[in-house]
Amino acid sequence: MSETTRASAPPRAVPLAEVAARHGLAVSGARPSLPAYVRQLWARRHFITAFSRAKLAAQYSQAKLGQLWQVATPLLNALVYFLIFGIILDARGGMGTKDYIPFLVAGVFVFAFTQNSVMSGVKSISGNLGMVRALHFPRASLPIAFSLQQLQQLLYSMIVLAAITIGFGHYPTWYWLLIFPALFLQFFFNAGLAMIFARLGSHTPDMAQLMPFVLRTWMYASGVMFPLRFMIEEKDTIPVWVADVLEANPAAVYMDLIRYALIDSPQYSGIPGLTWAYALGWALVFGIGGFVYFWKAEERYGRG
């Protein structure tokens, strides 16, 4: 080859990826590694808590009774369930009013914690698209913040629940301290579930319309208003193992932990170790699994 031919040869094209790596460039909006994502979330912990408090304060800002509705709404639901299941249908499972009302109110409050976390999670991305598209932050901050908001709301409700429990003759014991680890495990479970439905809801807005029916079915299958085992064993046509399966579902497990801690009666004389095992297992499976599932779609939120 002549000197003239070599001089006229075009320079070798350098791949864009090589140029980017050479200058420390990265794809805009790319999903970070899982450890980096966790560090980003921790760095924004103050934003998560502030956002949850702001949402809680704004939730009933247009209502005259304001924050009282945080407690009044589940109490009114409990009153309706008491009239229907406690009086008309007599589905108390042999419990007197002294035991049944704390049983019912605890179930309503604890299930509402999960129910509201899921509903908030479904809309946490689709309902905040302006923030998602305008700001760079780990998107998991939103479903976690909404779950934290529901935890704060539940803590107000627990004060009322404690007053009701004492009013019906169930006085504080050291078992009441077990409420705190139970609520921590439930929060971990709820946050994971909220992240799962946040990802689903971000791509399928109709999910928000479907979830109330799914959650209502879950509520009836979890024994919020009646003792599950009593209702199933009363029916000769239903196998007893069905009660075991239903009592192992997460909503029933976390309700049982709170009921065992609060209610001092022969029916709730001790907390089975298996119930704690279920509570820990559900929290780990959904808490960690939901977080990973949400993280895998991090770069797609707010697009399209």
Side-chain angles (χ1 to χ4, degrees):
M1 185 180 293
S2 66
E3 293 294 333
T4 305
T5 305
R6 286 198 297 269
S8 61
R12 182 179 69 88
V14 180
L16 293 178
E18 184 179 327
V19 175
R22 185 186 305 165
H23 296 280
L25 302 179
V27 178
S28 177
R31 183 184 69 199
S33 66
L34 192 57
Y37 194 65
V38 173
R39 289 194 296 270
Q40 290 178 13
L41 269 177
W42 177 250
R44 288 161 178 81
R45 62 191 182 277
H46 301 298
F47 161 74
I48 294 173
T49 55
F51 185 79
S52 65
R53 287 196 299 267
K55 284 294 183 181
L56 182 64
Q59 185 173 1
Y60 299 105
S61 60
Q62 302 301 318
K64 290 186 177 180
L65 293 180
Q67 301 302 315
L68 288 177
W69 284 111
Q70 295 179 22
V71 176
T73 299
L75 279 178
L76 290 173
N77 285 331
L79 176 60
V80 172
Y81 298 146
F82 174 72
L83 293 175
I84 296 175
F85 292 93
I87 296 179
I88 298 175
L89 298 180
D90 192 22
R92 304 185 186 192
M95 286 186 286
T97 301
K98 172 186 173 184
D99 295 340
Y100 181 69
I101 289 183
F103 169 93
L104 175 63
V105 176
V108 170
F109 282 179
V110 174
F111 185 81
F113 179 28
T114 295
Q115 180 182 40
N116 294 336
S117 296
V118 171
M119 287 304 302
S120 298
V122 169
K123 297 179 284 188
S124 61
I125 301 296
S126 60
N128 294 277
L129 282 178
M131 181 188 300
V132 170
R133 289 171 176 168
L135 302 175
H136 177 70
F137 64 98
R139 310 314 189 198
S141 302
L142 294 176
I144 292 174
F146 280 109
S147 298
L148 186 59
Q149 173 196 347
Q150 299 306 323
L151 176 61
Q152 294 174 65
Q153 184 166 332
L154 177 66
L155 293 178
Y156 290 114
S157 300
M158 292 302 291
I159 297 173
V160 177
L161 175 59
I164 291 173
T165 304
I166 294 171
F168 281 90
H170 300 280
Y171 299 105
T173 66
W174 74 268
Y175 283 108
W176 283 38
L177 297 176
L178 297 175
I179 292 173
F180 297 102
L183 291 183
F184 173 79
L185 292 175
Q186 188 182 6
F187 168 74
F188 206 71
F189 166 80
N190 288 353
L193 201 59
M195 285 186 277
I196 291 173
F197 283 101
R199 175 175 171 177
L200 296 175
S202 68
H203 304 297
T204 311
D206 289 346
M207 186 70 66
Q209 309 304 320
L210 175 65
M211 287 311 299
F213 301 99
V214 175
L215 290 169
R216 193 173 304 133
T217 303
W218 192 13
M219 178 181 69
Y220 288 120
S222 301
V224 174
M225 296 81 66
F226 46 79
L228 275 173
R229 186 164 296 277
F230 172 83
M231 296 298 291
I232 290 175
E233 290 179 350
E234 198 177 46
K235 306 288 185 181
D236 297 333
T237 56
I238 303 178
V240 177
W241 63 263
V242 174
D244 297 329
V245 172
L246 292 179
E247 286 184 338
N249 96 74
V253 165
Y254 295 118
M255 282 189 293
D256 278 347
L257 289 180
I258 301 300
R259 286 165 171 167
Y260 275 111
L262 287 175
I263 302 174
D264 182 19
S265 69
Q267 187 173 358
Y268 292 98
S269 57
I271 302 177
L274 185 60
T275 306
W276 282 108
Y278 281 139
L280 178 60
W282 287 124
L284 292 176
V285 169
F286 278 87
I288 298 174
F291 180 73
V292 173
Y293 177 75
F294 184 91
W295 161 76
K296 283 183 174 293
E298 175 72 12
E299 70 275 11
R300 300 202 296 269
Y301 299 126
R303 299 186 178 183

